[in-house]
């Protein structure tokens, strides 16, 4: 099965299915067609779902027995941009295998998308294809593999709503993440959130910094005061009510996180930073997985081109990314931030605020029977106790599935944590691919 | 004389001598040649001075008698960009005259450069040309009219040094500013200063705001803390020693400034802001003319393009424009700011700082005999007591003249204060042009 997987992965990663660049539109269609053909060859009924803006979504369905339970597997065939000149050791769109005896994962496949997400969704495709051939498939299976995960597909809610019946299922499975070291993981939560733009206007036009500087309001000064005011010296957000609803971490999770955190040096090394700036007494995993945050992702004010402009900027804009945790409501948190800004901004500043869609945070009940089954199986395959991972990122579609289909998602990561997803030399451990194929086969097998 | 001036100004402003755009290089040369021809026609010996980067500088000399004193008049023939689509009422490079009975200045000429600086240097050219014709010129006169004032000509110190003998003179006169209302002004000081860039690095690369946000340093947060920390709530710069050397304003000047300031509404209206943010108890004119300041002119961090990037920025950069007043030393003030930043920045931030040339502040002795003569003449021509103006801006060449030639500059503004220099519909009051011609004629006349 591994050899078949390798052959197919070689073809799959060769498509330059880069969704962030319109120029690759034809390549997206080729990739979708390749998936349709592959799934069709296993006996799946296939169909392309189309949205207003997005690349076609590959939908495929295989019914073993209408009385069986149905599992919907979500994945994506689009990838981040990659060019050899970025620093790759080889052509990013040609699968290569390298051996490194020093690494905890000895052999690795390298290519763009090898982990995120082609390599991971292909594990389920190949394992299930084999089970169909052997007549051992335990569930009816549906695949939904989209082409705009990397660009935050705006059509998803509409497409899911429109195809509610088609997508209906008992469980949803997503494998689009990393395990921790050599320990398998099940993801128990995802932060939700939104982005917002705060614009400060202090005057009709930029003025001369010589003729007016020091005597009139400076939008850059005013906005920096706002952003700087958001955190106290213990790195807590000072906005009243910002932490309302946040659940205290239970002592079991706290202990696991403390152990994972250790002295934190592996984290600062991975992140390329000097120190961690968690809240007082908080470890990295609790901080990113179970605590809300506000991060400035960009500031725009004045002149930042070559040379200098001698101006007092009349406009300044901050982009903020807000992350909330279950059961917080991102819309409510937005109102708190808005209220704080309105109170904080001086009267002579004209303030405007916009925001993106609100993504709901996700909390999986790790004691539900299906999750327990997955955990047991992971332990059997990886020969290690699975870790419960609280993820700082968001996968908006998980909230959409919950809201629109009423179905919980099983978040089973299969990638190695040094895979360098989105970076150069993206790689997937051969050992973990084999374990992934084993897990998928056992999970879907009668 | 006015009709001749008008005819010449019409030709002069028609040249698109925009120095900020390389595309207009040929137009610069045409303008310089036009000036050479004009000055030559009055009997001046002319010459082009060339630098490494700059457009040719028009130099012209007329010797009446080698025993007479020499006045060097500095001006510039380059202008700011202008296009009708910016909102001009007419083609910016075609002189038009409009009448507005409501304005304190009834008739005005409108065109790019009409005040800044073609219209002002042409006043001296025409007045002196006429005096030569009549045999009444009292001084030997030199003109230095450059083509890169708007782009901060980097060649000036080198050209002035190289042509020290050529430029040697007893007095220098510059008319490149605005009078106050209908009161003539003499400029008694210019702020000096420099620009600097402060770069904060908190990590090797931008990181995912979901996966890392809240647990690692954010360069945007750190830099906003620095910029926000520069001022106290009374708008004073908090850097130790920043105001060292600043001279207390004498009570005469204070009273004049208070009177000019009034309730400040004409200033907020002119500036297009809601309030003034001067230091406690400080009027606008004292603040901008006689107090140092630090102004953020731009901040660069994170992603500010369309949409959002979910990142924790690893780099943030602030552009600061620093203004100092005589007798402060900009190099010393830079060291104070640098020291403050080094102390203020957290250990986990890697800081780098660069700066531009230091421009020395200028203080004119308003009691020196030549300045007194100019003030007396201004009173006679404008029929109003001249105001002494402390200017917040810098004219770097004034410091260069003082340092390299050892000569003080007479700063006699001729423009109206609603001229909208650098903006749309730049205009010059016809009444003030006539007064300017009168002043120049009387000053240079035997």
């Amino acid at each position: 099965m591994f050899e078949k997987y390798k052959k197919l992965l070689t073809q799959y990663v060769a498509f330059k299915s880069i969704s962030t660049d319109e120029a690759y539109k034809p390549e997206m269609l080729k990739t979708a067609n390749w998936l349709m053909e592959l799934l069709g060859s296993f006996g799946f009924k296939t169909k392309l779902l189309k949205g207003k803006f997005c690349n076609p979504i590959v939908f495929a369905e295989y019914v073993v027995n209408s009385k069986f339970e149905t599992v919907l597997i979500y994945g994506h065939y689009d990838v981040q941009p990659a060019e050899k000149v970025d620093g790759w050791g080889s052509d990013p769109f040609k699968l290569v295998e390298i051996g490194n005896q020093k690494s905890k994962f000895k052999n690795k496949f390298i290519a763009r998308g090898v982990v995120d997400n082609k390599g991971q969704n292909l594990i389920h495709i190949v394992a299930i294809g084999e089970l169909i051939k052997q007549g051992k498939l335990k569930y009816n299976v549906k695949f939904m593999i989209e082409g705009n995960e990397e660009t935050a597909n705006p059509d998803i809610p509409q497409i899911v709503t429109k195809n509610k019946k088609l997508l209906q299922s008992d469980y949803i499975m997503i494998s689009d993440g990393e395990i921790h070291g050599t320990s398998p993981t099940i993801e128990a939560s995802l932060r939700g959130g939104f982005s917002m733009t705060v614009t400060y206007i202090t005057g009709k036009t930029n003025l001369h910094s010589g003729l007016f500087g020091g005597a009139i309001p400076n939008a850059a000064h005013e906005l920096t005061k706002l952003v700087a005011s958001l955190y106290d010296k213990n790195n807590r957000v000072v906005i009243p009510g910002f932490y309302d609803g946040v659940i205290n971490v239970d002592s079991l999770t706290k202990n696991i996180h403390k152990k994972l955190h250790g002295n934190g040096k592996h984290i600062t090394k991975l992140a390329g930073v000097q120190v961690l700036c968690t809240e007082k007494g908080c470890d990295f995993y609790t901080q990113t997985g179970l605590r809300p945050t506000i991060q400035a992702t960009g500031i725009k004010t004045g002149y930042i081109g070559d040379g200098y402009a001698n101006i007092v900027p009349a406009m300044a804009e901050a982009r903020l990314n807000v992350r909330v945790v279950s059961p917080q409501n991102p819309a409510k948190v937005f109102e708190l931030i808005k209220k704080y800004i309105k109170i904080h901004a001086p009267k002579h500043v004209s303030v405007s605020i916009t925001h993106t869609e609100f993504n709901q945070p996700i909390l999986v009940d790790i004691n539900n029977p299906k999750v327990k089954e997955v955990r047991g199986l992971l332990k059997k395959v990886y020969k290690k106790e699975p870790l419960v991972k609280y993820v700082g990122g968001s996968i908006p579609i998980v909230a959409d599935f919950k809201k629109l289909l009423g179905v919980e998602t099983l978040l089973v990561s299969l990638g190695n944590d040094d895979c360098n997803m989105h970076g150069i030399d993206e790689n997937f451990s051969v050992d973990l691919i084999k374990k992934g194929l084993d897990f998928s086969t056992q999970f879907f097998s009668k």
Side-chain angles (χ1 to χ4, degrees), chain A residues 210-230:
Chain A
L211 300 179
F212 291 92
I216 55 153
N218 178 318
H221 296 183
E222 301 296 0
L223 191 77
T224 58
K225 283 181 201 167
L226 170 70
V227 175
S229 81
L230 294 175

Side-chain angles (χ1 to χ4, degrees), chain A residues 107-177:
Chain A
N107 289 295
K108 284 171 161 187
F109 286 150
I110 297 187
R112 171 56 84 227
V114 78
V115 150
D116 181 20
N117 171 261
K118 290 172 174 172
Q120 292 194 69
N121 64 55
L122 188 63
I123 282 179
H124 295 302
I125 295 173
V126 170
I128 289 163
E130 194 61 28
L131 289 172
I132 291 172
K133 212 192 280 175
Q134 299 170 4
K136 286 187 184 166
L137 191 60
K138 185 182 173 186
Y139 300 96
N140 300 322
V141 172
K142 295 175 178 176
F143 277 99
M144 175 184 178
I145 305 180
E146 68 150 316
N148 289 82
E149 196 270 350
E150 302 294 357
T151 59
N153 194 338
D155 294 336
I156 286 292
Q158 192 229 334
I159 290 173
V160 172
T161 305
K162 200 177 147 193
N163 297 286
K164 213 170 158 173
K165 222 176 153 186
L166 200 68
L167 298 169
Q168 204 46 265
S169 48
D170 298 284
Y171 312 106
I172 294 167
M173 184 176 281
I174 301 181
S175 295
D176 194 18

